[in-house]
Amino acid sequence: MKAVGIVGFKKSGKTTLALELGAELKRRGVVAAAAKFSSHSLDRDETDTSRLREVYGSCAGLTEQEAAVFYEGKRFLPDLMPMLLGEVLVVEGGKSLGWLPRIILPKTEDEVALLKPELALGSWGEIDVPGVQRFTDIGELADCVLEKGFALPGLDCGACGNPGCEELAREIVAGRATVADCKSSKGDKLSLKVGGKRVAMNGFVGDMIAASVEGMVDQLKGVGPGEIRLTIKR
């Protein structure tokens, strides 16, 4: 999945830009999904889902037009991404996310360094950021996202030789590496898909699962060498 974050401080225009980018992608026939980081509650008080959440913790809400799932406790975006439908994910907010590139919206020059321009595919707004392309046309920004957007698994496993995903993301943005350098996403030994979508895992976990399955299969009669495919329907 292609992905990009839209990052800035309060009142920087993140939502407006996310809406414009989503409309442009939709106009092109690109199926896109969105994620938003917020400091406010996502569910309104005094609704049935709110009351059910107080008792059950997790709760699903369904109507004829939409559906949503509310979880108790914190969840991380990579865990929810397999449930999002789309070729492109546009993330509003999430300044701490180092595993995907971003478009930064600084309001002042003092904000630039805080928005991690080394992860930026570009900037939007009136502030020029040294070494970062400033976009003023939504079509050109969409072109950039479709060409250069990416998402790493955020596992910080170190299998690629970098301390974590943010360091690899910086290298990819700078053109010194590619997403293929991520060993967790590549899955040389084990490939796991849930609901048709690839699930990344670090090398240790992948090798452990693969070895366990291979060991059990080797105990079966009439099984020779070759690729193992295991399908579990839930």
Side-chain angles (χ1 to χ4, degrees):
M1 176 185 280
K2 299 278 189 179
V4 68
I6 296 179
V7 178
F9 291 95
K10 193 174 181 179
K11 303 294 184 180
S12 61
K14 298 189 299 296
T15 300
T16 299
L17 181 57
L19 291 171
E20 290 183 11
L21 179 57
E24 175 64 18
L25 293 171
K26 185 176 182 179
R27 185 186 66 79
R28 299 183 182 199
V30 177
V31 180
K36 177 181 174 62
F37 283 83
S38 174
S39 59
H40 305 290
S41 174
L42 300 178
D43 192 20
R44 292 177 298 167
D45 294 332
E46 302 304 324
T47 62
D48 289 342
T49 53
S50 176
R51 289 190 288 268
L52 287 168
R53 286 178 61 199
E54 290 181 5
V55 175
Y56 292 94
S58 297
C59 176
L62 301 93
T63 72
E64 293 296 329
Q65 294 80 30
E66 59 188 358
V69 177
F70 297 94
Y71 295 99
E72 184 177 34
K74 183 176 181 178
R75 294 296 186 275
F76 296 93
L77 182 55
D79 300 328
L80 304 180
M81 285 175 64
M83 293 186 289
L84 296 174
L85 305 177
E87 308 163 61
V88 179
L89 174 64
V90 177
V91 181
E92 182 192 333
K95 291 189 289 294
S96 64
L97 300 183
W99 46 266
L100 80 165
R102 56 185 57 187
I103 304 299
I104 59 175
L105 288 75
K107 294 181 295 181
T108 66
E109 293 182 356
D110 292 338
E111 291 182 351
V112 171
L114 299 175
L115 296 176
K116 297 185 178 180
E118 62 274 13
L119 289 171
L121 297 178
S123 68
W124 185 273
E126 301 300 323
I127 304 297
D128 283 313
V129 180
V132 176
Q133 181 177 358
R134 183 165 70 90
F135 289 97
T136 57
D137 180 81
I138 197 66
E140 293 179 357
L141 177 60
D143 289 339
C144 177
V145 171
L146 292 173
E147 178 185 356
K148 299 180 179 180
F150 65 88
L152 298 177
L155 297 175
D156 293 332
C157 66
C160 64
N162 290 285
C165 288
E166 181 168 332
E167 288 77 12
L168 178 57
R170 293 178 183 182
E171 293 294 299
I172 295 172
V173 169
R176 296 187 292 265
T178 69
V179 177
D181 291 310
C182 175
K183 306 301 181 183
S184 296
S185 297
K186 194 174 181 182
D188 292 330
K189 181 67 175 179
L190 177 71
S191 175
L192 174 64
K193 290 185 178 181
V194 178
K197 294 191 176 184
R198 180 75 172 271
V199 177
M201 63 184 73
N202 65 46
F204 173 77
V205 174
D207 290 344
M208 182 176 65
I209 295 175
S212 299
V213 173
E214 287 176 335
M216 289 184 286
V217 170
D218 286 342
Q219 303 305 310
L220 301 175
K221 294 182 179 180
V223 176
E227 182 182 52
I228 299 172
R229 293 190 180 185
L230 175 65
T231 301
I232 301 175
K233 295 183 179 181
R234 299 196 297 176

